[in-house]
Amino acid sequence: MCEPVIVTFCCNHCSYEAADRAGGARKKYPEGVRIIKVPCTGRVEPEFILKAFKCGAEGVLVLGCRPGGCHFKIGNYKAYGRCLLLRKTFRSVGIEEERIRFDWIDANEDERFVKILSEFAEKLRQLDSRLRRNRLDLSS
Ligand code: FES
């Protein structure tokens, strides 16, 4: 089975550091993960997320610093709000909102980084197999 492509926006301070630690420790995470480093998740405009889908992503993950930990004070809250809004928009047009996920992470949480990505990849696999089943139902 093909691994789902997951575009992951990581802020320069916490989540990218967690990703770097996971890589440095040779921890295994899903092959389809594509990391995009941003100065802060507050910089991730909704258009960036939509463009990721347009370019073939099956899921988009935004990983921000934990509450109170953002180096730009409220960037992580902004990103969280944008993700909620995009999820609501997806739902309203019949696209699975679970394809967008936001989570909080600290720089030393490399184990959690791997866990979040593995869970998200599994969720996307489930969504895709449901989609394939529905297509088969429609064509029969
Ligand atoms: Fe990490 Fe803002 S610096 S989310």
Side-chain angles (χ1 to χ4, degrees):
M1 183 188 288
C2 258
E3 280 293 302
V5 174
I6 302 173
V7 171
T8 306
F9 290 99
C10 289
C11 84
N12 190 30
H13 299 280
C14 292
S15 50
Y16 191 80
E17 178 68 28
D20 205 28
R21 282 175 187 240
R26 299 190 182 272
K27 291 186 176 156
K28 198 166 163 32
Y29 56 83
E31 288 171 23
V33 172
R34 308 286 183 267
I35 294 176
I36 298 177
K37 186 175 168 184
V38 290
C40 169
T41 55
R43 183 64 188 91
V44 179
E45 302 289 338
E47 301 91 271
F48 298 178
I49 295 175
L50 296 176
K51 187 168 182 184
F53 283 111
K54 195 174 170 192
C55 292
E58 286 150 281
V60 173
L61 174 65
V62 180
L63 279 175
C65 298
R66 285 196 174 273
C70 175
H71 290 61
F72 296 88
K73 294 194 175 158
I74 57 165
N76 52 353
Y77 297 121
K78 273 188 186 174
Y80 177 62
R82 287 174 181 157
C83 286
L84 286 181
L85 199 61
L86 276 174
R87 283 175 62 106
K88 194 173 170 185
T89 306
F90 268 36
R91 193 180 337 134
S92 71
V93 296
I95 302 171
E96 303 97 343
E97 62 185 295
E98 300 97 317
R99 291 187 183 277
I100 300 173
R101 178 171 172 172
F102 179 92
D103 224 315
W104 322 91
I105 196 164
D106 261 335
N108 62 357
E109 293 183 296
D110 48 317
E111 201 65 58
R112 186 169 142 71
F113 175 83
V114 171
K115 185 172 181 275
I116 290 170
L117 283 163
S118 302
E119 284 174 4
F120 193 38
E122 182 52 34
K123 171 54 96 183
L124 294 171
R125 279 187 219 107
Q126 288 169 5
L127 290 176
D128 287 343
S129 62
R130 197 168 67 198
L131 197 65
R132 271 195 292 279
R133 267 200 314 275
N134 288 345
R135 278 194 194 131
L136 287 174
D137 286 349
L138 286 175
S139 62
S140 57

